[in-house]
Amino acid sequence: MTSEQKIFWSVGTVVVLLVGVLMLSGTVEEKLAPEPVAAWIALQPEGSEVARTGRIEIAAGAGFMLHAVLEAKDWSGKKVYFTEADRLVIEGEEIPTERLRRWNRSEEPRILWFTVEGFSPFVAVEEAEGLGDFHFLEVFRSDWPRTWSIPGDLQPSAERQEVRDRATGLPRFGTQRFHVRIEIFDMKSSIKPKLRLRSLQATDLPEKVGDFATAIASLPGGLEVPSQVFGLSQIEVAPEAFAEVADRLADWSRQRLAFSRLMVVREMLDRAGLSYDDLEWIDVDLEDGPPWRPDEVEPGDFLRVGDRIAILVADRGAQGILDRADLSFDFIKGARVRPVDEIFVGKGLVEWARSSPTSNTPPD
């Protein structure tokens, strides 16, 4: 080996050692690693191979996954996405699989999950201006795993201490919105993150409702509309102020941001091609009510006493006959599932109306 060759190999060895030291120190990794720029949530319905941002609609009781997604730009300016989802669609565009990555960097990521809910389950608005005070909050779900992917949960935060399904036998349904924060910690410190990224947050509503991570689970048929409002805030406006806010409240209801009793009934009737005046109210004795069958009583029908209206859900009493033990949706200071006798406590007659265009058949 000539002296020139010895010098070349010596210099080469030193360069390799320096690069190795730099790599071990993290300097090169930090310089060349993709730079995080945004956080997303992708929802993956049970049975689907694709996780997507925005809104999903599923059947009541169906499962879904929440995937945190960290968008980053590499040294060439191309976008890459750190996530555990195998296939990803962001704002309607599927991301090529070669741009999806698992987190493999030295920094520690912490994934914090939130639901985004109205500031109160029930809001009474006395004046039209009061509707402007309605807002959303991010509720940290400390009981959820702090991992990149978790099972989706529709349960509202205020329901944590309740046993909603104790007697209903119904699958979980309703609407829920989600927020994620991805915090990146340097290996030298676990107290303060070096970077915090947030997905769409409470202050982005209602303007960005179409892009917000939202899961809507519905019961079938005539129960689709009322089942979707569970988990939302109920807003009831004083009669003298209603006309001024009716359009805005109807829009919020259609977008599943909040609801009122009137808007639920109105949307149900609109879908059935009916008006409230089309309903035929028939007096029913709950001791010997009409049969549960498609040509008589069925889920989605209405019960009324005075100005209080409930929506029939399921036969839970004497099988095949409408009675006091049957389940209904009730919308008094929040959406609830209750037996009929908890809604209408008197012993008088109850008025019943079909929610479908078929004419009511008076009970025998």
Side-chain angles (χ1 to χ4, degrees):
M1 181 180 295
T2 66
S3 58
E4 289 83 358
Q5 289 176 318
K6 290 180 180 180
I7 292 173
F8 173 81
W9 285 109
S10 298
V11 171
T13 301
V14 171
V15 170
V16 169
L17 289 173
L18 286 174
V19 170
V21 170
L22 288 173
M23 289 295 290
L24 289 174
S25 69
T27 301
V28 172
E29 177 190 11
E30 183 176 348
K31 294 295 184 183
L32 297 181
E35 178 185 0
V37 294
W40 302 83
I41 297 175
L43 299 89
Q44 183 175 2
E46 186 177 62
S48 173
E49 297 180 353
V50 180
R52 62 185 67 249
T53 61
R55 164 174 165 164
I56 63 168
E57 296 193 18
I58 56 178
F64 62 99
M65 295 293 294
L66 297 174
H67 297 282
V69 180
L70 189 154
E71 178 185 326
K73 288 186 178 180
D74 66 15
W75 61 272
S76 66
K78 292 182 179 180
K79 293 181 180 179
V80 297
Y81 298 87
F82 293 96
T83 183
E84 292 183 351
D86 294 323
R87 291 179 61 187
L88 179 64
V89 171
I90 291 184
E91 295 185 325
E93 178 183 351
E94 183 158 4
I95 306 302
T97 54
E98 63 268 19
R99 290 162 60 187
L100 302 182
R101 302 183 182 180
R102 297 290 196 268
W103 186 262
N104 59 358
R105 294 167 56 173
S106 58
E107 298 102 327
E108 178 188 356
R110 295 184 186 176
I111 316 297
L112 306 178
W113 291 100
F114 299 73
T115 50
V116 179
E117 307 174 31
F119 77 97
S120 175
F122 177 78
V123 180
V125 176
E126 298 299 327
E127 299 179 352
E129 294 77 10
L131 195 59
D133 295 331
F134 182 77
H135 61 279
F136 295 88
L137 299 174
E138 294 150 19
V139 183
F140 176 50
R141 305 307 289 261
S142 60
D143 53 326
W144 290 6
R146 302 185 186 186
T147 53
W148 285 90
S149 298
I150 65 171
D153 192 341
L154 296 171
Q155 185 180 38
S157 58
E159 198 183 87
R160 286 182 177 181
Q161 304 304 318
E162 298 179 10
V163 186
R164 170 192 173 277
D165 306 319
R166 55 188 168 83
T168 70
L170 298 172
R172 174 64 68 168
F173 51 84
T175 296
Q176 188 59 272
R177 290 181 169 82
F178 305 96
H179 168 74
V180 72
R181 297 177 191 173
I182 303 176
E183 298 181 342
I184 308 297
F185 287 80
D186 195 296
M187 294 296 291
K188 299 176 183 179
S189 173
S190 60
I191 299 175
K192 183 178 180 180
K194 61 183 289 188
L195 180 66
R196 179 185 289 116
L197 296 171
R198 305 168 185 257
S199 65
L200 289 178
Q201 48 199 320
T203 53
D204 291 311
L205 292 172
E207 285 76 12
K208 297 183 179 180
V209 61
D211 298 322
F212 217 97
T214 307
I216 301 177
S218 313
L219 290 170
L223 296 176
E224 180 178 355
V225 170
S227 65
Q228 289 182 357
V229 306
F230 277 71
L232 302 179
S233 294
Q234 180 177 356
I235 301 176
E236 296 300 337
V237 181
E240 57 272 19
F242 186 81
E244 294 184 58
V245 300
D247 289 344
R248 191 180 351 165
L249 198 55
D251 184 56
W252 286 3
S253 182
R254 285 191 297 267
Q255 296 187 81
R256 300 297 182 254
L257 287 164
F259 77 96
S260 73
R261 285 174 292 173
L262 177 60
M263 294 305 173
V264 169
V265 173
R266 179 180 293 178
E267 187 174 348
M268 291 178 66
L269 294 175
D270 286 346
R271 292 195 180 194
L274 299 172
S275 70
Y276 193 78
D277 291 337
D278 293 327
L279 297 178
E280 299 178 37
W281 294 98
I282 298 171
D283 289 343
V284 168
D285 184 350
L286 291 177
E287 301 304 320
D288 186 22
W292 278 86
R293 63 190 188 200
D295 60 335
E296 294 254 9
V297 175
E298 61 182 353
D301 285 354
F302 301 109
L303 290 182
R304 180 178 74 175
V305 172
D307 62 355
R308 186 165 184 177
I309 296 180
I311 300 168
L312 287 171
V313 175
D315 184 6
R316 290 291 188 270
Q319 289 300 299
I321 298 296
L322 176 62
D323 61 22
R324 296 181 181 279
D326 293 338
L327 295 181
S328 289
F329 288 155
D330 187 32
F331 302 108
I332 296 296
K333 295 188 176 181
R336 298 286 187 274
V337 180
R338 291 188 171 108
V340 171
D341 64 358
E342 288 186 13
I343 302 172
F344 307 115
V345 297
K347 295 185 178 181
L349 295 176
V350 172
E351 293 181 284
W352 158 66
R354 296 295 309 275
S355 62
S356 62
T358 304
S359 297
N360 291 337
T361 303
D364 297 331

